[in-house]
mmCIF file of all heavy atoms in Angstrom:
data_model
loop_
_atom_site.group_PDB
_atom_site.id
_atom_site.type_symbol
_atom_site.label_atom_id
_atom_site.label_comp_id
_atom_site.label_asym_id
_atom_site.label_seq_id
_atom_site.Cartn_x
_atom_site.Cartn_y
_atom_site.Cartn_z
ATOM 1 N N TRP A 7 29.475 13.634 10.988
ATOM 2 C CA TRP A 7 28.404 13.759 9.987
ATOM 3 C C TRP A 7 27.465 12.577 9.977
ATOM 4 O O TRP A 7 26.281 12.726 9.636
ATOM 5 C CB TRP A 7 29.010 14.009 8.595
ATOM 6 C CG TRP A 7 29.192 15.479 8.389
ATOM 7 C CD1 TRP A 7 30.321 16.201 8.565
ATOM 8 C CD2 TRP A 7 28.158 16.410 8.073
ATOM 9 N NE1 TRP A 7 30.072 17.543 8.361
ATOM 10 C CE2 TRP A 7 28.757 17.698 8.064
ATOM 11 C CE3 TRP A 7 26.804 16.304 7.789
ATOM 12 C CZ2 TRP A 7 28.017 18.845 7.769
ATOM 13 C CZ3 TRP A 7 26.071 17.446 7.515
ATOM 14 C CH2 TRP A 7 26.680 18.689 7.507
ATOM 15 N N THR A 294 35.847 18.624 2.090
ATOM 16 C CA THR A 294 34.415 18.777 1.832
ATOM 17 C C THR A 294 33.630 18.743 3.145
ATOM 18 O O THR A 294 32.726 19.563 3.369
ATOM 19 C CB THR A 294 33.928 17.655 0.894
ATOM 20 O OG1 THR A 294 34.624 17.725 -0.334
ATOM 21 C CG2 THR A 294 32.428 17.773 0.650
ATOM 22 N N LEU A 295 33.959 17.812 4.019
ATOM 23 C CA LEU A 295 33.246 17.699 5.291
ATOM 24 C C LEU A 295 33.490 18.927 6.163
ATOM 25 O O LEU A 295 32.579 19.365 6.887
ATOM 26 C CB LEU A 295 33.692 16.431 6.024
ATOM 27 C CG LEU A 295 33.349 15.095 5.349
ATOM 28 C CD1 LEU A 295 33.907 13.933 6.150
ATOM 29 C CD2 LEU A 295 31.852 14.945 5.165
ATOM 30 N N LYS A 296 34.680 19.502 6.078
ATOM 31 C CA LYS A 296 34.979 20.698 6.865
ATOM 32 C C LYS A 296 34.123 21.880 6.400
ATOM 33 O O LYS A 296 33.544 22.606 7.225
ATOM 34 C CB LYS A 296 36.453 21.037 6.735
ATOM 35 C CG LYS A 296 36.905 22.180 7.610
ATOM 36 C CD LYS A 296 38.400 22.392 7.527
ATOM 37 C CE LYS A 296 38.857 23.525 8.430
ATOM 38 N NZ LYS A 296 40.346 23.720 8.356
ATOM 39 N N ILE A 297 34.008 22.070 5.079
ATOM 40 C CA ILE A 297 33.180 23.150 4.553
ATOM 41 C C ILE A 297 31.714 22.939 4.955
ATOM 42 O O ILE A 297 31.021 23.868 5.372
ATOM 43 C CB ILE A 297 33.308 23.228 3.019
ATOM 44 C CG1 ILE A 297 34.720 23.673 2.640
ATOM 45 C CG2 ILE A 297 32.278 24.191 2.437
ATOM 46 C CD1 ILE A 297 34.982 23.671 1.153
ATOM 47 N N MET A 298 31.240 21.699 4.825
ATOM 48 C CA MET A 298 29.861 21.397 5.202
ATOM 49 C C MET A 298 29.605 21.690 6.678
ATOM 50 O O MET A 298 28.521 22.158 7.048
ATOM 51 C CB MET A 298 29.552 19.922 4.909
ATOM 52 C CG MET A 298 29.461 19.570 3.436
ATOM 53 S SD MET A 298 29.230 17.790 3.225
ATOM 54 C CE MET A 298 27.694 17.541 4.115
ATOM 55 N N THR A 299 30.578 21.403 7.515
ATOM 56 C CA THR A 299 30.420 21.638 8.952
ATOM 57 C C THR A 299 30.222 23.115 9.239
ATOM 58 O O THR A 299 29.338 23.490 10.026
ATOM 59 C CB THR A 299 31.639 21.099 9.713
ATOM 60 O OG1 THR A 299 31.801 19.696 9.423
ATOM 61 C CG2 THR A 299 31.454 21.291 11.213
ATOM 62 N N TRP A 300 31.016 23.967 8.631
ATOM 63 C CA TRP A 300 30.861 25.418 8.827
ATOM 64 C C TRP A 300 29.499 25.912 8.320
ATOM 65 O O TRP A 300 28.850 26.730 8.982
ATOM 66 C CB TRP A 300 31.996 26.185 8.141
ATOM 67 C CG TRP A 300 33.259 26.161 8.931
ATOM 68 C CD1 TRP A 300 34.415 25.496 8.642
ATOM 69 C CD2 TRP A 300 33.491 26.849 10.177
ATOM 70 N NE1 TRP A 300 35.359 25.718 9.616
ATOM 71 C CE2 TRP A 300 34.818 26.540 10.569
ATOM 72 C CE3 TRP A 300 32.721 27.675 10.980
ATOM 73 C CZ2 TRP A 300 35.392 27.041 11.730
ATOM 74 C CZ3 TRP A 300 33.281 28.171 12.152
ATOM 75 C CH2 TRP A 300 34.591 27.872 12.515
ATOM 76 N N LEU A 301 29.078 25.401 7.175
ATOM 77 C CA LEU A 301 27.763 25.785 6.657
ATOM 78 C C LEU A 301 26.636 25.359 7.587
ATOM 79 O O LEU A 301 25.672 26.088 7.811
ATOM 80 C CB LEU A 301 27.557 25.200 5.254
ATOM 81 C CG LEU A 301 28.428 25.757 4.142
ATOM 82 C CD1 LEU A 301 28.231 24.974 2.849
ATOM 83 C CD2 LEU A 301 28.133 27.240 3.904
ATOM 84 N N ALA A 302 26.771 24.154 8.143
ATOM 85 C CA ALA A 302 25.744 23.644 9.062
ATOM 86 C C ALA A 302 25.687 24.478 10.335
ATOM 87 O O ALA A 302 24.603 24.765 10.854
ATOM 88 C CB ALA A 302 26.037 22.184 9.402
ATOM 89 N N VAL A 303 26.856 24.887 10.836
ATOM 90 C CA VAL A 303 26.900 25.701 12.052
ATOM 91 C C VAL A 303 26.177 27.033 11.845
ATOM 92 O O VAL A 303 25.485 27.540 12.736
ATOM 93 C CB VAL A 303 28.366 25.938 12.478
ATOM 94 C CG1 VAL A 303 28.452 27.001 13.554
ATOM 95 C CG2 VAL A 303 28.979 24.642 12.980
ATOM 96 N N ILE A 304 26.301 27.590 10.646
ATOM 97 C CA ILE A 304 25.681 28.890 10.358
ATOM 98 C C ILE A 304 24.186 28.746 10.066
ATOM 99 O O ILE A 304 23.371 29.521 10.569
ATOM 100 C CB ILE A 304 26.385 29.561 9.160
ATOM 101 C CG1 ILE A 304 27.845 29.868 9.521
ATOM 102 C CG2 ILE A 304 25.653 30.822 8.725
ATOM 103 C CD1 ILE A 304 28.677 30.308 8.333
ATOM 104 N N ALA A 305 23.820 27.757 9.254
ATOM 105 C CA ALA A 305 22.443 27.674 8.749
ATOM 106 C C ALA A 305 21.481 27.009 9.709
ATOM 107 O O ALA A 305 20.302 27.379 9.776
ATOM 108 C CB ALA A 305 22.443 26.936 7.420
ATOM 109 N N THR A 306 21.934 26.011 10.461
ATOM 110 C CA THR A 306 21.015 25.225 11.287
ATOM 111 C C THR A 306 20.260 26.063 12.314
ATOM 112 O O THR A 306 19.032 25.922 12.435
ATOM 113 C CB THR A 306 21.769 24.076 11.980
ATOM 114 O OG1 THR A 306 22.403 23.260 10.985
ATOM 115 C CG2 THR A 306 20.809 23.222 12.801
ATOM 116 N N PRO A 307 20.903 26.934 13.068
ATOM 117 C CA PRO A 307 20.140 27.736 14.038
ATOM 118 C C PRO A 307 19.064 28.611 13.383
ATOM 119 O O PRO A 307 17.974 28.786 13.961
ATOM 120 C CB PRO A 307 21.213 28.612 14.712
ATOM 121 C CG PRO A 307 22.483 27.869 14.500
ATOM 122 C CD PRO A 307 22.357 27.191 13.180
#
Side-chain angles (χ1 to χ4, degrees):
W7 272 97
T294 300
L295 295 178
K296 186 176 181 179
I297 293 175
M298 290 175 59
T299 302
W300 281 109
L301 291 173
V303 168
I304 296 170
T306 302

